[in-house]
Amino acid sequence: MEVFVPHLKDRNIYLDEIIFFSDCNFIFGDFKEYKSSYEIVNIQFPEAIFNWVIPTAEQLIDFEKKILEWKQHSKIVFTLNDIESHYDEENQFIDLFRLIQKHADGVIHLGNYSLEKYAPLFSVNCIHTVIYHPLYGSLTGDYQTADFKERFQLNLEDKYIVSVIGAIRSDEEAKLILKIFRKIPLKNKFLIVPNMFQFVNRPSYFPYRFRKIYKKIAEKIYCFPLRKNQYFFGYKFLDYDYMVDLVKDSSLIIIPRIRNLNSGNLYLGLTFDKPMIIPKVGNLTEVARFFDFSVLDLEKKNYDEVIKSVLDSKKTAFFKTKEYTEKKNLFQPEKIANQYDLFFNQLTTNQ
């Protein structure tokens, strides 16, 4: 079966984990490159269809015409990574998301929270299923890493390394990270955020060459009263070879997502059996509770309870138990890929 993804591959390799084990042939390309031989059109990230540029009203009209052409030969499946764009604070992509919601034949939810809350937004004829995010199996085993400490000249010997993987997208996420870190009662703690201030936009009147200076000023403001020898911040996407090395060395991973429906960082932590601080949001809560992990309730502000739990040696020993391994195996890429294939086949046989 040929599956058309109407945009380029995202830097997040989670879909590659599925493709490797799937019996389907996934084809990426511009949405205008569609062929009638494709049985499934699988939309992963709506914004990527227009290269992360907000489409005009005319472009949306043309795109809907394309969708109607697709539906004559194919089933349209929307993998619901989020119900709206989390890169667009003004929500200007919402018309694109609603257009896809209107015409989707099937939706893959990454948890029951998503299914229960958002299924009513789709057509009554739309078929829904829950298929979880896979583990990052390709990053384990003999995967070749690069030395993160050497790359950034960091001395992390005897440090309790608290890392935050992925871009920080908002002021609220940055403040949450720092609040959690300050509350960790360890003298040897060290915070690493490789892509910290993506959300900080320099004023238009600032010359481009002052961008780094502006971010350094933002860093000092946000981090006070932390000392520079307690943290390291980078400002761009971290290549996987360095990222894996960092995750392996990490003592704790913070997932700072506040409004997101899902986060691949949770599955990255599971892949490498790392203690995590997971907020009580979206589908994250369901997976955390499946593993009996404590969740951070941002309304109840149970910071001390959650931090105590992740520092508890009995809790960290859970990663070596048979119970944990059996639960973790349910998220292996080969199992997730099989569920994708079954759902695609279900849709194409129910004409």
Side-chain angles (χ1 to χ4, degrees):
M1 179 185 299
E2 290 187 317
V3 177
F4 180 54
V5 183
H7 51 72
L8 298 178
K9 276 188 180 180
D10 190 74
R11 289 183 300 190
N12 188 329
I13 63 169
Y14 97 93
L15 188 56
D16 293 311
E17 303 288 349
I18 296 166
I19 291 171
F20 183 82
F21 292 101
S22 174
D23 290 332
C24 298
N25 179 24
F26 283 76
I27 300 156
F28 292 78
D30 188 283
F31 74 90
K32 297 175 184 177
E33 298 172 351
Y34 167 83
K35 297 177 182 179
S36 59
S37 60
Y38 300 146
E39 293 182 70
I40 296 288
V41 176
N42 183 202
I43 298 170
Q44 292 279 333
F45 303 103
E47 310 99 311
I49 295 171
F50 291 95
N51 294 315
W52 306 93
V53 177
I54 297 162
T56 64
E58 291 77 13
Q59 286 177 310
L60 289 175
I61 290 171
D62 291 340
F63 180 56
E64 185 168 24
K65 290 177 182 177
K66 285 292 182 184
I67 291 177
L68 293 174
E69 289 178 21
W70 297 349
K71 289 175 73 71
Q72 295 178 27
H73 307 282
S74 313
K75 296 294 184 181
I76 299 174
V77 179
F78 182 25
T79 300
L80 194 61
N81 285 286
D82 231 318
I83 196 63
E84 60 185 31
S85 176
H86 50 242
Y87 293 96
D88 171 27
E89 289 187 3
E90 298 178 0
N91 207 18
Q92 296 180 75
F93 279 105
I94 193 62
D95 290 335
L96 174 61
F97 275 74
R98 286 177 177 165
L99 192 59
I100 293 166
Q101 291 168 23
K102 176 182 175 182
H103 293 292
D105 299 297
V107 178
I108 295 174
H109 298 269
L110 278 66
N112 284 289
Y113 174 93
S114 168
L115 174 64
E116 294 168 5
K117 185 168 183 177
Y118 297 119
L121 299 181
F122 294 84
S123 161
V124 293
N125 297 317
C126 185
I127 299 174
H128 298 261
T129 190
V130 173
I131 304 178
Y132 294 98
H133 189 298
L135 301 177
Y136 290 92
S138 65
L139 301 180
T140 60
D142 58 356
Y143 182 82
Q144 294 297 308
T145 62
D147 195 320
F148 181 88
K149 297 185 293 293
E150 182 177 319
R151 167 70 177 79
F152 296 102
Q153 296 297 300
L154 297 174
N155 180 7
L156 301 177
E157 187 175 353
D158 298 323
K159 298 292 186 182
Y160 183 86
I161 302 171
V162 180
S163 64
V164 187
I165 309 301
I168 307 310
R169 301 176 182 134
S170 69
D171 175 82
E172 292 86 359
E173 287 187 355
K175 288 179 178 177
L176 177 63
I177 292 165
L178 293 166
K179 185 170 186 176
I180 293 170
F181 183 72
R182 290 185 185 112
K183 286 180 175 290
I184 295 174
L186 299 174
K187 292 182 178 180
N188 64 333
K189 61 186 177 181
F190 189 89
L191 176 64
I192 299 178
V193 190
N195 197 353
M196 180 58 163
F197 290 115
Q198 186 187 74
F199 65 92
V200 175
N201 296 315
R202 61 185 176 85
S204 58
Y205 54 81
F206 261 52
Y208 182 82
R209 65 182 179 277
F210 290 139
R211 183 177 62 176
K212 287 186 177 180
I213 296 174
Y214 187 77
K215 287 188 173 181
K216 289 292 184 183
I217 293 171
E219 176 183 316
K220 289 184 178 297
I221 293 171
Y222 272 89
C223 292
F224 181 82
L226 292 181
R227 301 183 305 278
K228 182 60 182 174
N229 64 359
Q230 290 182 291
Y231 65 88
F232 167 80
F233 295 156
Y235 301 98
K236 61 182 180 179
F237 180 83
L238 184 64
D239 291 337
Y240 278 97
D241 48 358
Y242 289 107
M243 183 194 72
V244 172
D245 186 58
L246 170 60
V247 172
K248 285 182 175 181
D249 280 346
S250 295
S251 310
L252 174 68
I253 293 176
I254 296 175
I255 300 174
R257 304 314 183 202
I258 295 174
R259 291 184 293 270
N260 291 55
L261 189 56
N262 304 287
S263 174
N265 293 334
L266 169 57
Y267 298 88
L268 185 65
L270 287 172
T271 299
F272 292 98
D273 307 330
K274 293 295 177 178
M276 292 175 278
I277 292 185
I278 306 164
K280 185 182 178 182
V281 295
N283 293 318
L284 301 183
T285 307
E286 177 181 343
V287 178
R289 286 179 171 163
F290 178 70
F291 285 94
D292 197 29
F293 296 156
S294 297
V295 291
L296 179 61
D297 190 321
L298 298 174
E299 292 184 2
K300 294 183 179 179
K301 302 184 184 341
N302 60 334
Y303 293 94
D304 293 340
E305 173 192 333
V306 173
I307 290 170
K308 182 179 179 181
S309 176
V310 295
L311 294 178
D312 187 343
S313 59
K314 292 180 181 178
K315 287 287 185 180
T316 55
F318 174 65
F319 291 108
K320 297 181 180 180
T321 65
K322 181 181 179 182
E323 178 187 357
Y324 169 74
T325 301
E326 289 177 347
K327 287 183 175 182
K328 177 179 170 179
N329 283 339
L330 297 175
F331 300 89
Q332 293 295 348
E334 55 265 39
K335 289 185 169 60
I336 303 301
N338 182 58
Q339 292 169 36
Y340 262 75
D341 290 353
L342 289 173
F343 186 56
F344 290 161
N345 283 311
Q346 176 190 350
L347 287 173
T348 54
T349 54
N350 292 339
Q351 300 290 343

